[in-house]
């Protein structure tokens, strides 16, 4: 999708905040622990290359992505540090990963056999992390026999270098630790079956680290914290308190492109879900669901100039309308998402409003929105 550089609608990304968040986390870690910056999904919508460069400056030792293409994008842009693909890559691409020094996750024994065939043909060695399903129910080994067999298969196997072993938590952001502890026990058990010696054994995501869940992890896969967001995102429970200072990096701004007065009985938007009961002032903002600003935002208050105004009528594909208490000119700034956590249109409040989590709101912001990078003065 072409970025709209001739339209006043941009995602602003504060690289000083990103740098500071990573530095704060690095300082929070034990000296022997490493930070891998999770920059999957275009760095949660913030821009993978820009975030990766800043993360390196801030002390990240490596990167995690979700798919092989994201890893290749980093390599093509000069990133030389370790990169781990967290998802399952088809074993036929094991040689591509190996040739680019990219580490892949092993989801099961069958995958290892298939990857080996491909690697043998090209006489390559692949760096791998053994995925463990300790209770996420997603990918990785969970049966003893299969894991023991995989270990045997890997001993003195020239096509693989066992760089890591890891699992992922399902509920590290919850104040109820029952399932978390169950996952820790399962992982410890799988670890006791190891006969190969991975360099890095890791389980921590942002939540496990900043809430000090105290499971030792050779590296922390730091994702949402990079972007200054507290992962504790269940709207019905209060946030767990982060032991690392986090500053949100993302804001989403636009401008009024049209302002008018409508009269009693006039409708706004598809289906006329809003009908004026008097003379009212309506402003139009050139952002819609094609930008990731979904229809559920109808009714949410965005900041127009210095006042919070509700979105009236349905959000269209490319535009939405707001009800304004006073006349304001075309060109007036509209803040859809504020990077100030105290503002009512902060990203968590926006996510709560549309019944989701801030991860999703950030990831949905589409490529049509240019990302504008800046540093604090
Ligand atoms: C996305 C992801 C992370 C990062 O999680 P955050 O909550 O953003 O810190 C870590 N590990 C795995 C396996 C992931 O998929």
């Amino acid at each position: 999708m072409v970025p709209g550089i001739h339209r006043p609608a941009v995602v602003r990304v504060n690289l000083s905040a990103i740098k500071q968040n990573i530095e704060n986390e690095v300082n929070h870690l034990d000296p022997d622990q490493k930070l891998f910056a999770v920059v999957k999904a275009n760095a949660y919508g913030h821009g993978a290359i820009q975030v990766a460069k800043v993360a390196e400056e801030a002390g990240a030792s490596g990167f995690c992505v979700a798919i092989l293409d994201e890893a290749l994008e980093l390599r093509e842009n000069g990133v030389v540090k370790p990169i781990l693909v967290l998802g399952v890559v088809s074993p036929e691409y094991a040689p591509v990963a190996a040739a680019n020094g990219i580490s892949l996750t092993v989801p099961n024994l069958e995958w290892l056999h298939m990857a080996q065939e491909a690697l043998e043909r090209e006489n390559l060695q692949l760096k791998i992390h053994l995925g463990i399903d300790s209770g996420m129910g997603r990918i990785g080994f969970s049966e003893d026999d299969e894991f023991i067999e995989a270990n045997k298969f890997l001993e003195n196997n020239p096509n693989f270098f066992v760089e890591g072993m890891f699992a992922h938590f399902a509920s590290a952001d919850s104040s109820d630790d029952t399932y978390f502890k169950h996952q820790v026990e399962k992982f410890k058990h799988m670890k006791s079956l190891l006969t190969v010696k991975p360099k890095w054994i890791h389980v921590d995501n942002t939540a496990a680290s900043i809430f000090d869940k105290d499971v030792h992890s050779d590296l922390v896969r730091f994702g949402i914290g990079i972007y200054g967001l507290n992962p504790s995102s269940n709207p019905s429970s209060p946030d767990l308190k982060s032991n690392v200072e986090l500053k949100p990096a993302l804001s989403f701004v636009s401008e009024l492109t049209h302002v008018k007065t409508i009269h009693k009985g006039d409708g706004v938007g598809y289906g006329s879900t809003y009908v004026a009961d008097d003379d009212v002032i309506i402003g139009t903002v050139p952002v819609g669901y094609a930008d990731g600003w979904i229809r559920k935002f109808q009714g949410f208050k965005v900041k127009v100039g210095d006042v919070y105004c509700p979105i009236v009528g349905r959000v269209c594909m490319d535009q939405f309308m707001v009800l304004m208490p006073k006349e304001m000119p075309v060109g007036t700034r509209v803040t859809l998402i504020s990077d100030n956590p105290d503002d009512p249109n902060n990203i968590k409040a926006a996510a709560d409003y549309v019944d989701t989590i801030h991860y999703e709101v950030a990831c949905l912001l589409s490529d049509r929105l240019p990302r504008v990078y800046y540093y604090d003065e």
Side-chain angles (χ1 to χ4, degrees), residues 21-77:
N21 293 330
I22 296 172
E23 284 171 358
N24 292 349
E25 170 67 7
V26 168
N27 291 334
H28 178 69
L29 297 177
D30 292 343
D32 64 330
Q33 283 180 307
K34 299 196 179 311
L35 181 147
F36 270 38
V38 182
V39 294
K40 62 193 180 192
N42 199 27
Y44 298 34
H46 294 64
I49 304 306
Q50 290 78 2
V51 171
K53 297 284 174 199
V54 170
E56 281 188 327
E57 286 168 31
S61 303
F63 298 92
C64 296
V65 293
I67 66 175
L68 181 56
D69 305 83
E70 292 170 346
L72 292 169
E73 183 192 25
L74 292 179
R75 284 282 180 260
E76 279 155 19
N77 284 275

Side-chain angles (χ1 to χ4, degrees), residues 38 40 44 86 138 166-168 204-207 221-225 231 359:
V38 182
K40 62 193 180 192
Y44 298 34
L86 298 167
R138 196 163 66 175
F166 76 101
H168 193 46
D204 276 9
N205 55 3
T206 299
R221 303 184 306 267
F222 196 57
I224 196 77
Y359 292 74

